[in-house]
Amino acid sequence: MIVCIAEKPSVARDIAEVLGAHTRKEGYIEGNGYQVTWTFGHLCTLKEPHEYTPNWKSWNLGSLPMIPPRFGIKLIENPTYEKQFHIIEGLMQNADEIINCGDAGQEGELIQRWVMQKAGARCPVKRLWISSLTEEAIREGFAKLKDQTDFQSLYEAGLSRAMGDWLLGMNATRLYTIKYGQNKQVLSIGRVQTPTLALIVNRQLEIANFEPKQYWELKTNYRDTTFSALIRKSDEEIAAEEEKNGGKKKIDNPGIDPIANREEGEALVERIKDLPFVVTSVGKKDGREFAPRLFDLTSLQVECNKKFAYSADETLKLIQSLYEKKVATYPRVDTTFLSDDIYPKCPAILKGLRDYEVLTAPLAGTTLPKSKKVFDNSKVTDHHAIIPTGVYAQNLTDMERRVYDLIARRFIAVFYPDCKISTTTVMGEVDKIEFRVTGKQILEPGWRVVFAKDVKDPTEEKEEEDENVLPTFVKGESGPHIPDLNEKWTQPPRPYTEATLLRAMETAGKLVDNDELRDALKENGIGRPSTRAAIIETLFKRNYIRKERKNLIATPTGVELVQLIHEELLKSAELTGIWEKKLREIEKKTYDARQFLEELKQMVSEIVMSVLSDNTNRRITIQDAVAAKAEEKEKKETKKRERKPSAPKEKKPKAEKATAEVTSDSTTSSTPAVAPAATSSATSSTTGGVDAWVGQPCPLCGKGTIIKGKTAYGCSEWRNGCTFRKTFE
């Protein structure tokens, strides 16, 4: 009898149907010489510390570092899991052959290997490796079964990751909890979790410590077109631009020096206002814009967060559901390319997109283009980019439909012609001061028609406005103009959203727009595409971060924890990225798993020694999420007694939650991120006293004064672009 083991009951049912196994038994499906069974994700896990030695049961510094001589696995304590495992064990003990039908990835390999080890399987093992769950893909996969040995490096990488997370997580969590914690609360430290938190905290501190600087822009209006004076770039700006462009050197640096003060700017206006504006050059350049790349998991999570405000975890669950419904391919991928063998299948996939016939009709009956930007075997390892399967998508939820729509349109768009554009740059001059304006015109929309009905976010709309079509200018023409001096303020960096945090995790904290550069940095990204969503959720559960609209805000506890950790290896995204790269190299057989673990053991030992040698009396007070909710509830009841709620009931808890979390945490935290004035102002507002914030000069723009809104303080100059905002605390 051949035993097939899948990762979920639903996947097992699909496989059994294709294999002709129709007899339902307890815990498996039998028929046609096959027994198809399933796990529920992880059935096994690494043993707890006390299961290696009783001395590790109690938390004490003397037992650290905990380094097992040999790692062991155990069944997860759950009656359902234990029952299913014993069924699997019985089937495997009597099997002639086992076919591993787990998800085709590192985690899927680890899940099933552990089950087979625990069950004591001794027969030959084959591997089913498929990228979708359609009947065709399953039949094709069973016709091309691979040997289990072909995936040994994949298993070793997954095992190394699990053991590495155990070594660092178990030791660092106990170490920091005992050394610095109080109130019997656990300080959770993780190999990926902590550097991710550090990214958020560091960004937050940058914003808190940001000092806005005033600057001026010289512009002039000629023929109803606004030209901007060229400003000479600083050496730092040139260096940053070169890095962003992949090292391409830019020699030209024309323009005037930055305008240092209003007097200097007004002098320039006076100097040029009565002189004619002369057009010195008109350049027109035709170009092409390529269709957006196909989705990998991270880019899909980013897009869903931007467009629909879905969390990374929500998007992962939705795309997993689409995969199990057979309408999308395997989701846990980190490539945006397709392999060459997918190309012949593309016409049939397009034909299957029945709800998109208006868009696919122009492609029907034609030879589809085969671009290297889409099809590239060298950029595909285990799985290709996420695309539709061609199975008709029906019975989808609204949320699933939105995600599917993104995937389908991206897939259609890559076969459309490039968008042809024309960029016009007009240069002008007044008294040797150079001015410039740029406009863009779409000549042929090409792939843009696929996204014609897309609702653009405000930032995209702004970009479109900047890309205006210019009137016709002729070199040498001149005439009167109206110069103007615009006062501006430098802006702090933006807080992370889930979209930008995912990008930062993908590139170890280096945010880049260039796709090629991003691909290169992926090697050093932290976490796996499939685990990043869970990492972010863990930070929420630990009460280290909270969400304010789309922004991710570190709680005072989160800030204090990162500031407490002096060991860069624990909190540096870049250093953690190096470890992630080694795990990928294990998978590619270019790095030894044993060496990785030895290096990690050495690192853990050094961290323990470093923390133990700290003679300061530093402490951190942790407030868990349960306590925060309890305090929130108490605050809510108090507010109900004090006054009637002015906002709708469903909106009120959200506002109160934010207030409760910040206020309660700030009273027990020593972090400088929360200003003392904030607490006092919040208190005065509830007792009917004078609000200390209202009427104060704006700390961001310096022009306006602080005003009080429904949920936050703002600046009276908000209509003029000041973005200062401070939530009630």
Side-chain angles (χ1 to χ4, degrees):
M1 191 73 75
I2 299 172
V3 174
C4 302
I5 180 166
E7 202 165 304
K8 287 184 178 180
S10 60
V11 177
R13 286 194 294 271
D14 290 337
I15 291 170
E17 188 66 31
V18 172
L19 295 176
H22 302 299
T23 306
R24 299 287 179 99
K25 300 286 183 83
E26 190 172 19
Y28 66 100
I29 307 168
E30 188 175 86
N32 203 24
Y34 291 95
Q35 291 171 327
V36 185
T37 188
W38 54 84
T39 59
F40 303 104
H42 281 280
L43 291 187
C44 300
T45 187
L46 291 173
K47 288 181 178 178
E48 299 291 323
H50 67 271
E51 292 172 301
Y52 294 102
T53 169
N55 296 336
W56 289 351
K57 188 167 186 175
S58 61
W59 288 39
N60 63 78
L61 294 175
S63 64
L64 302 179
M66 301 179 295
I67 299 175
R70 185 179 177 87
F71 279 93
I73 57 173
K74 66 169 188 174
L75 274 177
I76 295 171
E77 292 176 8
N78 179 307
T80 305
Y81 289 11
E82 290 168 1
K83 183 182 177 182
Q84 183 62 18
F85 172 76
H86 291 306
I87 292 169
I88 295 168
E89 186 179 32
L91 295 174
M92 287 186 172
Q93 294 286 349
N94 298 306
D96 299 314
E97 183 180 85
I98 296 170
I99 300 175
N100 178 355
C101 304
D103 277 4
Q106 199 180 96
E107 193 175 6
E109 190 69 18
L110 188 67
I111 286 170
Q112 306 300 41
R113 291 270 191 135
W114 276 355
V115 170
M116 285 185 268
Q117 285 175 29
K118 193 70 180 169
R122 295 287 182 268
C123 61
V125 181
K126 296 285 187 183
R127 185 61 158 104
L128 176 71
W129 195 265
I130 54 178
S131 291
S132 78
L133 292 173
T134 63
E135 184 179 333
E136 182 190 2
I138 294 171
R139 289 192 186 282
E140 194 175 315
F142 271 93
K144 299 177 181 177
L145 289 172
K146 302 175 185 288
D147 285 327
Q148 178 91 322
T149 52
D150 294 350
F151 300 90
Q152 184 64 22
S153 62
L154 187 71
Y155 166 66
E156 287 176 3
L159 184 61
S160 299
R161 178 180 295 277
M163 291 191 294
D165 287 343
W166 192 101
L167 281 169
L168 198 61
M170 290 288 184
N171 282 286
T173 296
R174 289 192 178 194
L175 177 69
Y176 275 83
T177 299
I178 301 166
K179 183 74 175 175
Y180 303 115
Q182 49 189 5
N183 297 343
K184 296 181 180 180
Q185 304 270 348
V186 175
L187 282 175
S188 175
I189 308 285
R191 188 178 56 84
V192 180
Q193 170 194 314
T194 307
T196 304
L197 175 62
L199 285 173
I200 299 170
V201 169
N202 292 338
R203 172 63 57 86
Q204 199 159 307
L205 293 176
E206 280 179 46
I207 296 168
N209 298 323
F210 180 80
E211 293 183 8
K213 293 180 181 176
Q214 200 176 22
Y215 67 99
W216 287 264
E217 289 180 342
L218 179 61
K219 295 180 180 284
T220 193
N221 190 285
Y222 173 70
R223 287 181 54 194
D224 295 324
T225 304
T226 301
F227 288 75
S228 300
L230 293 188
I231 303 293
R232 194 174 289 113
K233 293 183 177 72
S234 66
D235 293 340
E236 292 81 8
E237 287 173 317
I238 291 171
E241 201 169 275
E242 285 174 9
E243 188 181 351
K244 194 175 178 180
N245 294 332
K248 292 177 184 175
K249 209 158 184 178
K250 207 170 178 180
I251 301 168
D252 292 336
N253 189 19
I256 60 174
D257 289 328
I259 302 168
N261 53 63
R262 182 181 291 278
E263 290 73 23
E264 188 182 315
E266 287 174 346
L268 288 171
V269 171
E270 284 296 318
R271 172 180 153 188
I272 67 173
K273 70 176 184 180
D274 296 324
L275 298 173
F277 182 93
V278 181
V279 175
T280 56
S281 71
V282 180
K284 194 172 181 181
K285 188 178 179 183
D286 291 342
R288 294 171 180 266
E289 286 183 347
F290 305 110
R293 285 190 176 188
L294 296 171
F295 285 116
D296 59 8
L297 178 58
T298 302
S299 61
L300 182 62
Q301 288 170 320
V302 167
E303 192 75 1
C304 287
N305 186 254
K306 283 181 178 176
K307 278 190 162 53
F308 316 126
Y310 294 168
S311 71
D313 191 53
E314 282 175 329
T315 301
L316 179 57
K317 287 174 181 173
L318 290 166
I319 184 59
Q320 180 68 27
S321 177
L322 293 173
Y323 170 64
E324 290 170 16
K325 289 181 177 180
K326 310 177 188 181
V327 297
T329 58
Y330 185 70
R332 291 171 170 81
V333 297
D334 59 0
T335 182
T336 57
F337 293 87
L338 299 175
S339 50
D340 289 336
D341 63 323
I342 303 297
Y343 177 74
K345 300 175 183 178
C346 290
I349 296 171
L350 288 167
K351 193 176 179 182
L353 301 177
R354 284 158 41 191
D355 293 337
Y356 300 86
E357 285 177 345
V358 173
L359 298 173
T360 59
L363 302 173
T366 64
T367 303
L368 296 176
K370 192 179 179 186
S371 167
K372 201 73 173 171
K373 292 184 180 293
V374 181
F375 298 91
D376 190 340
N377 279 341
S378 67
K379 302 286 178 67
V380 180
T381 49
D382 300 330
H383 295 285
H384 54 70
I386 302 169
I387 60 172
T389 60
V391 172
Y392 182 51
Q394 51 189 339
N395 301 322
L396 303 185
T397 66
D398 289 344
M399 292 175 74
E400 288 172 347
R401 174 62 63 183
R402 289 191 189 106
V403 176
Y404 180 80
D405 184 68
L406 291 179
I407 297 165
R409 288 179 186 271
R410 282 277 178 110
F411 182 69
I412 296 166
V414 299
F415 299 110
Y416 265 66
D418 297 336
C419 172
K420 292 182 180 179
I421 59 170
S422 175
T423 305
T424 303
T425 303
V426 182
M427 300 294 297
E429 189 180 280
V430 187
D431 196 22
K432 297 185 179 178
I433 297 175
E434 294 182 274
F435 291 84
R436 177 172 60 199
V437 69
T438 303
K440 188 173 91 172
Q441 188 177 5
I442 295 172
L443 304 175
E444 294 179 22
W447 56 265
R448 282 179 176 267
V449 302
V450 178
F451 305 98
K453 292 182 179 179
D454 260 10
V455 179
K456 292 182 171 59
D457 63 37
T459 56
E460 288 175 336
E461 284 173 11
K462 192 174 177 182
E463 287 172 7
E464 289 295 323
E465 287 168 9
D466 293 341
E467 296 168 351
N468 57 324
V469 179
L470 302 175
T472 302
F473 291 100
V474 179
K475 183 182 176 181
E477 70 172 86
S478 67
H481 63 107
I482 305 169
D484 188 28
L485 187 67
N486 292 337
E487 183 184 23
K488 297 281 187 178
W489 289 85
T490 55
Q491 297 295 313
R494 293 174 181 263
Y496 279 116
T497 62
E498 284 205 37
T500 54
L501 182 62
L502 284 165
R503 284 297 190 208
M505 292 175 76
E506 187 182 48
T507 55
K510 295 180 181 179
L511 290 178
V512 294
D513 298 322
N514 185 286
D515 283 333
E516 281 73 23
L517 277 181
R518 191 184 295 134
D519 283 346
L521 290 169
K522 277 183 181 181
E523 282 290 303
N524 283 34
I526 60 174
R528 300 274 299 180
S530 56
T531 61
R532 287 172 191 146
I535 293 293
I536 297 170
E537 288 303 306
T538 298
L539 293 176
F540 280 118
K541 288 174 186 173
R542 298 290 183 193
N543 203 36
Y544 291 164
I545 64 172
R546 60 183 173 83
K547 193 175 282 187
E548 191 176 286
R549 296 185 180 174
K550 276 191 175 185
N551 297 334
L552 301 179
I553 308 296
T555 63
T557 297
V559 173
E560 197 173 342
L561 178 60
V562 169
Q563 291 177 332
L564 186 77
I565 298 170
H566 291 173
E567 293 71 32
E568 284 299 309
L569 281 165
L570 280 178
K571 62 180 182 180
S572 165
E574 198 164 348
L575 290 171
T576 305
I578 294 168
W579 289 94
E580 288 284 352
K581 187 180 180 184
K582 289 178 179 178
L583 285 165
R584 291 178 179 85
E585 287 172 350
I586 292 170
E587 191 174 323
K588 295 173 185 174
K589 303 179 184 178
T590 57
Y591 197 77
D592 186 52
R594 286 170 296 184
Q595 188 179 341
F596 172 80
L597 281 173
E598 287 305 314
E599 289 176 3
L600 195 54
K601 287 174 185 177
Q602 181 66 28
M603 185 185 101
V604 168
S605 299
E606 288 172 2
I607 289 169
V608 170
M609 292 301 296
S610 172
V611 172
L612 291 179
S613 63
D614 180 12
N615 294 321
T616 65
N617 289 318
R618 294 181 294 161
R619 287 287 184 271
I620 182 172
T621 304
I622 301 295
Q623 183 191 40
D624 63 16
V626 175
K629 284 180 181 177
E631 191 159 336
E632 173 197 332
K633 189 176 179 182
E634 187 182 339
K635 193 172 181 72
K636 184 179 176 182
E637 294 299 320
T638 306
K639 284 201 171 186
K640 275 185 179 178
R641 288 194 296 269
E642 286 178 355
R643 66 178 187 268
K644 280 186 177 181
S646 57
K649 287 183 180 178
E650 66 270 17
K651 292 184 180 180
K652 188 173 176 61
K654 187 176 179 182
E656 288 174 350
K657 182 181 178 186
T659 306
E661 284 176 352
V662 176
T663 307
S664 60
D665 286 348
S666 64
T667 57
T668 56
S669 172
S670 61
T671 177
V674 180
T679 307
S680 63
S681 66
T683 307
S684 65
S685 65
T686 57
T687 57
V690 178
D691 197 322
W693 275 83
V694 175
Q696 295 296 316
C698 175
L700 185 60
C701 71
K703 289 175 67 180
T705 56
I706 301 300
I707 57 176
K708 189 174 181 181
K710 289 182 179 178
T711 60
Y713 298 102
C715 175
S716 60
E717 289 290 302
W718 64 275
R719 290 183 185 276
N720 297 324
C722 183
T723 58
F724 173 80
R725 186 176 181 277
K726 187 170 186 63
T727 53
F728 297 151
E729 298 174 336

